[in-house]
Amino acid sequence: MRTAAILVSISLALACGADAGKAAPGGEKKAEAPKAPDVKAPAAKAPEAAEGKPAPLHLDISHDKSGVLARAASTLETSEAVTSPALKEHLAELSHHAEKGPSNEALCAHMAKLMADKAPPAIDCIHALEHQRVHVGPEIFAEVAQCVTEAQTLDALLRCEDAEKEAERELHVKKRGSGVEPETCTKLFTHFEKLAMADAGDQAKAVEEILEEVRADILEACAEQGTRAEVDCALSAKDMKELGACQSSLM
């Protein structure tokens, strides 16, 4: 970012001789040189204000309350490709009601308008949002979605994207899970996918495609943010209704 130039005023001082104010030859006193008036330098502007840009957006990651189940459920529930009422109902509690926010497709349509000819193919945008929902969880992504929805310029949209990426990095460092083993996380993913596909009926293929797209993200979320209690509960669930009763929040 360019640094704003700082204007500095220089006060001119008139030097007096060592005998200033003493009697000069002829009995006359030298006139004292008048002091230059004090001139204050103008205040420097903040870089953002000087360039007319808003300050960067920073998301508060302490708002994140989601374990691995909430992250997996939210990215599945907010796809318009999944409309099964039964599955939606069972996902709602797990995802902390992520369905109340805009879908991935709706967000991508708005983003495409702002990006114009720079917009990626719709499916690439949708996949990117699916990954982001798992990375930051439904609470933080709800703030990202609000930022995107309110954006009216490409610069504003990029500001939202920068904030989301920063939140991802911070959450990756701040692990709050129970350190569930990789093999157990793989079992959890497989079981969750099986139950969700069974609940989806003729939309099972769409469910599988979405979950497989974010498989690596869910496994990472399991290791970093998943709790032993929710994982054990999920593995013992026989269907999505039972799975919906598992605690998906970080307390």
Side-chain angles (χ1 to χ4, degrees), residues 30-93:
K30 291 183 179 179
E32 294 185 359
K35 294 182 179 180
D38 293 331
V39 180
K40 293 183 179 180
K45 294 182 179 179
E48 291 81 8
E51 297 183 15
K53 293 183 179 180
L57 173 65
H58 301 289
L59 302 174
D60 185 355
I61 64 169
S62 68
H63 295 165
D64 172 40
K65 306 300 180 186
S66 298
V68 60
L69 292 177
R71 283 167 154 78
S74 68
T75 203
L76 184 60
E77 185 182 17
T78 50
S79 169
E80 292 181 8
V82 179
T83 59
S84 168
L87 180 56
K88 289 281 193 179
E89 179 183 353
H90 296 147
L91 290 171
E93 288 296 326

Side-chain angles (χ1 to χ4, degrees), residues 91-135:
L91 290 171
E93 288 296 326
L94 278 178
S95 72
H96 305 163
H97 295 285
E99 85 283 358
K100 293 182 179 179
S103 68
N104 296 330
E105 289 82 355
L107 288 172
C108 285
H110 179 66
M111 293 166 69
K113 290 180 181 178
L114 299 180
M115 298 179 75
D117 59 344
K118 297 180 181 179
I123 190 63
D124 291 347
C125 175
I126 290 170
H127 284 166
L129 297 187
E130 289 170 352
H131 290 287
Q132 288 181 1
R133 288 183 186 274
V134 180
H135 289 158

